[in-house]
Amino acid sequence: MPIYEYHCKECGQDFEYLVLGGSEPDHCPACKRTSVCRMMSTCGFMSKGGGGETVSRSAGASSCTGCSATSCSSCGH
């Protein structure tokens, strides 16, 4: 079950939505208007070395370093 990021064209709010069975959000949770669009999201990964140590981390093409946010849409940068 994927979580997608959406953007409201009316109020500018970015939000995440758990897509169940292909259902898209029908309105913005902030302003309740229906002008929402799905944003392109990046995915993150961790590469492990032979001993199990983390050797590389990535959040896609993010320019943030050391960010502890769970989503770029909630980061604020």
Side-chain angles (χ1 to χ4, degrees):
M1 289 181 273
I3 296 176
Y4 290 107
E5 294 177 278
Y6 290 84
H7 175 78
C8 178
K9 295 178 185 178
E10 298 292 327
C11 71
Q13 177 76 28
D14 292 336
F15 62 96
E16 295 177 342
Y17 186 82
L18 176 63
V19 176
L20 300 171
S23 66
E24 301 276 330
D26 58 356
H27 67 277
C28 171
C31 71
K32 308 298 185 221
R33 294 195 175 142
T34 59
S35 186
V36 297
C37 61
R38 189 163 69 186
M39 298 176 9
M40 181 66 80
S41 299
T42 59
C43 62
F45 68 88
M46 286 193 302
S47 297
K48 299 285 185 172
E53 73 280 4
T54 300
V55 294
S56 177
R57 292 182 183 194
S58 172
S62 174
S63 62
C64 294
T65 57
C67 185
S68 63
T70 58
S71 166
C72 285
S73 68
S74 63
C75 179
H77 289 112

